[in-house]
Amino acid sequence: MNSNERRPTIEAVAARAGVGRGTVSRVINGSPKVSARAREAVEAAIQELGYVPNRAARSLVTSRTDAIALVIPEPESRLLAEPYFADIIRGVSAELSANAGAVDLQLLLILVRTEEERKRLTNFLTARRVDGVLLAAVHDRDPLPDLMEKLDMPTVLGGRRSDRERLSHVQPDNAGGAEAATTHLLERGRRHIATITGPREMEASRSRLRGYQRALAAYGTAVDDASPLVAEADFTEEGGRAAMAELLARQPGLDAVFAASDVMAAGALAALRAAGRRVPEDVAVVGFDDSMIARHTTPPLSSVRQPIEEMGREMVRLLLDEIEERGRSHRRVVLATELVARESS
Amino acid sequence: MNSNERRPTIEAVAARAGVGRGTVSRVINGSPKVSARAREAVEAAIQELGYVPNRAARSLVTSRTDAIALVIPEPESRLLAEPYFADIIRGVSAELSANAGAVDLQLLLILVRTEEERKRLTNFLTARRVDGVLLAAVHDRDPLPDLMEKLDMPTVLGGRRSDRERLSHVQPDNAGGAEAATTHLLERGRRHIATITGPREMEASRSRLRGYQRALAAYGTAVDDASPLVAEADFTEEGGRAAMAELLARQPGLDAVFAASDVMAAGALAALRAAGRRVPEDVAVVGFDDSMIARHTTPPLSSVRQPIEEMGREMVRLLLDEIEERGRSHRRVVLATELVARESS
DNA sequence: CGAGATAGTGGGAGCGCTCCCATACGGCAG
DNA sequence: CTGCCGTATGGGAGCGCTCCCACTATCTCG
């Protein structure tokens, strides 16, 4: 077991089992064309020798890598320092090992921060060092999805760039969640409901805004994108604070806010406190994500829960399908969200 | 660039550059024994052909994988759903790409939940599918570190099993941080200071308890492990709540608590609120980690910050050293912590 | 001016595996 | 008994790379 000793090869197993290389290979790869006797002999030999196949050698001839990459663009990974990130990973990892059959896929984690790193990633993908790619949190202007298409490499996106997205993707029901949150506020008797959106160049932000608008429209109130009730922020706490302050300045009479993320909602809470507004008495607040901080704000934050871990799992399922049977039409999956009401509304 | 076209090999580059295979290989691997003329020709050919070396082939002959694994035992990954997890990864990834030279190491992420997965990991490591391993958050009874020793594989631990740890490891100054927190409470005039520890089978928990005791000893108060001022919890919010309730029952006169994690401190805050104690007027609270939730509790939590991202970076540095020059003595690194005072103390 | 060192180079061997073709071995129908 | 088919099997070829040895060209020094 020492690193100096050479590990046993398939040849050694064959010799020990008294069969040929081909037969051992067949046993390892679960081919049916092996007699019971041979199979047992081989399995015993593998056991005795502690044989483990050399992946590099296999990879060289099959040109499969038995690995997939989870790519996370850095601006996101900061925003998503909350459980989002960890939950996606947990879901991906769980589903990957649930599907582990003869060969189990390894998970490569790639954070992309700098231009330099992006170039390296491009190289890496061009070299086909993985069998497929999971792309978390795509931006509209992200060049990576296009690269994946050009390389014709199995890919699944977390989120999408627009509703015409051609690549397979998985996303929460952003519009539905936002609509539910806004409807909830309406049902509580609020009538002057503002919203803090995420960056408009993200489809998720736009969808959530759309849901908010849809709920209001159903109550007979049309709110366009340029309405003074709509403020854009960048998914950060500070951004949420600033947006809330601006909303209060523009619309002193507002009695509720739907923020497109919990972090921004936390910022909004701070701004409301600074302005002397009570939550929820004066202004009700609902966030999005149902992240850990939602339970720790004062008051605890009502929020739209998205099934993040399940998104990770689903992404893996789609990717495995795509790796298995190439050329299939791409698929899109939308997962339901759920409003969790707490004391802020 | 289509996946059907065969990618160019080193042979193709050699032909195009009008040199031999060996020379191309030398250029790629940065060998100095290449004439400038040859080097230029090869680089041009690589450029023109879009050549990217096949890692599997290289790996097969060098028996290096150019990958390292970051292994996270699952019970942890749940506890560490806070930024901890994400920060470690960010640090690891950053340092890895900072060190990317001719070959850049890939990062494999492996979560270990079940026995099944542990077995698979053992197989994986035995097969030497990675050049080194980063083991986050080790338990005293974790069998993995022993396996790594037996396999003689480069390994760096996040944390350690005891102060006699033989493997390289990186950890925050747990005792120092705890001591600073406790001293801080003493300086604020508190005299009946309790502590909520993590599970005692973790060295980090023990170290923090030690730091707490040391600070009190310096003020002339001896507090042994079985003192009614010491309660053990499991790093969860609920555990913190229960421990705080118990402490209040045992020592109604306490005027401060040092909790060995922010999450437990958050639980303690809830228990104190339930018991009608004001924070910080009646009871001051200090946590550990300075995680995101510390800034969102009511009141905001004083906490001991540990440089988590830096820990990740340092782990990679140690690991790269160990991979480079095998057989070197192992190293240990302790990173300083810093008390961040907020309104809870 | 010859011997020996030095720098660059080409290409054979071989890493451990899968693929696939040739072969062996048993039936079983004619 | 011969011919034929289906099922298992052994092992050659070759995946793309690095290692290393043999070789050439150039330089250095007594």
Side-chain angles (χ1 to χ4, degrees):
Chain A
M1 210 49 84
N2 194 292
S3 67
N4 296 335
E5 300 169 22
R6 184 164 240 88
R7 285 173 40 217
T9 71
I10 201 173
E11 201 91 38
V13 175
R16 174 129 196 168
V19 300
R21 242 175 30 252
T23 301
V24 177
S25 178
R26 263 163 242 137
V27 170
I28 293 171
N29 294 294
S31 157
K33 333 188 110 210
V34 183
S35 68
R37 225 166 64 82
R39 167 164 286 116
E40 279 158 29
V42 169
E43 274 161 0
I46 288 178
Q47 205 50 242
E48 290 160 19
L49 265 44
Y51 169 76
V52 191
N54 179 321
R55 277 310 227 292
R58 171 182 291 167
S59 194
L60 180 56
V61 36
T62 59
S63 65
R64 282 193 46 151
T65 62
D66 293 328
I68 65 169
L70 172 58
V71 176
I72 303 182
E74 172 64 4
E76 305 332 308
S77 92
R78 176 145 305 137
L79 303 181
L80 307 174
E82 315 126 62
Y84 188 94
F85 190 34
D87 283 350
I88 284 279
I89 291 179
R90 189 173 300 120
V92 166
S93 160
E95 188 63 26
L96 229 34
S97 81
N99 278 68
V103 286
D104 44 344
L105 293 185
Q106 288 305 319
L107 175 63
L108 279 168
L109 187 64
I110 304 181
L111 304 192
V112 185
R113 265 163 298 251
T114 61
E115 242 347 278
E116 167 66 17
E117 287 182 337
R118 178 177 298 278
K119 229 167 58 197
R120 218 149 38 208
L121 173 61
T122 304
N123 243 316
F124 178 82
L125 295 173
T126 307
R128 308 212 146 249
R129 296 266 318 273
V130 286
D131 294 339
V133 174
L134 260 25
L135 218 50
V138 291
H139 272 287
D140 282 16
R141 304 246 156 267
D142 198 330
L144 244 29
D146 291 329
L147 175 66
M148 304 314 304
E149 282 192 89
K150 214 175 63 193
L151 290 175
D152 188 27
M153 175 172 283
T155 304
V156 175
L157 309 182
R160 61 183 184 185
R161 290 169 294 174
S162 78
D163 50 10
R164 299 192 322 277
E165 181 61 63
R166 288 192 310 281
L167 292 165
S168 292
H169 59 273
V170 177
Q171 55 171 4
D173 183 3
N174 286 309
E179 185 172 2
T182 310
T183 302
H184 162 80
L185 289 169
L186 285 163
E187 285 168 351
R188 300 264 162 151
R190 309 292 168 155
R191 286 300 172 270
H192 304 285
I193 308 177
T195 187
I196 301 175
T197 75
R200 299 292 177 90
E201 80 269 10
M202 292 185 70
E203 164 71 7
S205 302
R206 295 195 299 268
S207 294
R208 290 175 195 177
L209 174 57
R210 222 174 300 131
Y212 157 85
Q213 291 168 325
R214 210 195 290 156
L216 289 176
Y219 263 65
T221 322
V223 175
D224 65 21
D225 293 9
S227 159
L229 284 168
V230 176
E232 178 173 344
D234 57 357
F235 279 136
T236 66
E237 184 163 356
E238 184 44 39
R241 185 196 315 268
M244 188 71 242
E246 192 183 324
L247 286 171
L248 284 172
R250 293 203 298 232
Q251 298 278 317
L254 63 80
D255 58 9
V257 192
F258 163 62
S261 87
D262 285 350
V263 177
M264 294 194 299
L269 287 177
L272 287 168
R273 198 175 308 125
R277 310 289 181 111
R278 292 165 306 162
V279 177
E281 293 83 353
D282 303 330
V283 180
V285 179
V286 178
F288 204 107
D289 288 344
D290 191 32
S291 65
M292 170 167 276
I293 68 164
R295 289 193 301 284
H296 289 284
T297 54
T298 311
L301 194 63
S302 298
S303 187
V304 178
R305 166 177 302 159
Q306 33 177 346
I308 306 177
E309 186 165 335
E310 182 57 25
M311 279 179 56
R313 303 187 80 112
E314 194 60 38
M315 286 175 73
V316 169
R317 284 186 209 114
L318 293 192
L319 187 62
L320 292 182
D321 279 6
E322 219 164 284
I323 291 174
E324 206 61 42
E325 27 176 340
R326 303 307 321 284
R328 278 266 307 241
S329 61
H330 295 152
R331 285 194 284 153
R332 44 184 63 188
V333 171
V334 176
L335 296 175
T337 53
E338 176 196 5
L339 180 69
V340 179
R342 295 203 181 81
E343 295 155 39
S344 69
S345 65
Chain B
M1 213 48 86
N2 193 292
S3 66
N4 296 335
E5 299 169 23
R6 185 164 240 87
R7 286 173 38 217
T9 70
I10 200 172
E11 202 91 38
V13 175
R16 174 125 195 171
V19 301
R21 244 176 28 252
T23 300
V24 176
S25 177
R26 261 163 245 139
V27 170
I28 293 170
N29 295 292
S31 156
K33 333 188 108 207
V34 183
S35 67
R37 224 165 65 81
R39 165 164 288 116
E40 278 159 31
V42 168
E43 274 161 0
I46 288 179
Q47 205 50 244
E48 288 159 23
L49 264 43
Y51 169 76
V52 192
N54 179 322
R55 271 322 220 289
R58 170 183 292 170
S59 194
L60 181 55
V61 36
T62 59
S63 65
R64 283 191 49 149
T65 62
D66 292 329
I68 66 168
L70 172 58
V71 176
I72 303 183
E74 171 63 4
E76 305 333 308
S77 91
R78 177 145 300 137
L79 302 180
L80 307 174
E82 317 127 59
Y84 188 96
F85 192 33
D87 283 351
I88 284 279
I89 291 178
R90 187 172 301 119
V92 166
S93 161
E95 188 63 26
L96 229 34
S97 80
N99 278 69
V103 285
D104 44 342
L105 293 185
Q106 287 307 319
L107 176 63
L108 279 167
L109 187 63
I110 304 181
L111 304 192
V112 185
R113 265 163 298 252
T114 62
E115 242 347 278
E116 166 68 16
E117 287 181 338
R118 178 177 296 279
K119 230 166 57 194
R120 215 144 47 204
L121 173 60
T122 304
N123 243 318
F124 178 82
L125 295 174
T126 307
R128 308 209 146 251
R129 298 267 317 274
V130 286
D131 295 339
V133 172
L134 260 24
L135 217 51
V138 291
H139 271 288
D140 281 17
R141 304 244 155 269
D142 198 330
L144 245 29
D146 292 328
L147 175 65
M148 304 315 303
E149 282 191 271
K150 214 174 65 192
L151 290 176
D152 188 28
M153 175 173 282
T155 304
V156 176
L157 310 181
R160 61 183 184 185
R161 290 169 295 174
S162 78
D163 50 9
R164 300 192 320 277
E165 181 62 64
R166 288 192 310 279
L167 292 165
S168 292
H169 59 273
V170 177
Q171 56 172 3
D173 183 3
N174 286 309
E179 185 171 0
T182 310
T183 301
H184 162 81
L185 290 169
L186 285 163
E187 284 168 350
R188 299 264 163 151
R190 309 292 168 155
R191 285 301 172 269
H192 303 286
I193 307 175
T195 187
I196 301 176
T197 73
R200 299 292 177 90
E201 80 268 12
M202 291 184 70
E203 164 72 7
S205 301
R206 295 195 299 269
S207 294
R208 290 174 196 178
L209 175 56
R210 221 174 302 130
Y212 158 85
Q213 292 167 328
R214 210 194 291 155
L216 289 176
Y219 264 65
T221 321
V223 176
D224 65 22
D225 293 10
S227 160
L229 285 168
V230 178
E232 179 174 344
D234 57 357
F235 279 137
T236 67
E237 184 164 356
E238 184 43 41
R241 184 194 316 269
M244 189 69 243
E246 193 183 322
L247 286 171
L248 284 171
R250 292 202 300 230
Q251 298 278 314
L254 63 80
D255 59 8
V257 192
F258 163 62
S261 86
D262 285 350
V263 177
M264 295 195 299
L269 287 177
L272 287 167
R273 199 176 307 125
R277 310 289 181 110
R278 292 167 305 162
V279 177
E281 293 83 351
D282 303 330
V283 180
V285 180
V286 178
F288 203 107
D289 287 345
D290 191 31
S291 65
M292 172 167 275
I293 67 164
R295 288 194 300 282
H296 290 283
T297 55
T298 312
L301 194 63
S302 298
S303 187
V304 179
R305 167 177 300 160
Q306 32 176 347
I308 306 179
E309 186 164 337
E310 182 56 25
M311 278 180 57
R313 302 188 82 112
E314 194 59 40
M315 286 175 73
V316 169
R317 284 186 210 115
L318 292 193
L319 188 62
L320 292 182
D321 278 4
E322 217 164 286
I323 291 174
E324 207 59 43
E325 24 175 342
R326 302 306 320 285
R328 277 267 308 243
S329 60
H330 295 149
R331 285 194 284 154
R332 45 184 62 189
V333 171
V334 176
L335 297 176
T337 54
E338 176 196 4
L339 180 69
V340 180
R342 294 203 181 81
E343 295 155 39
S344 70
S345 63

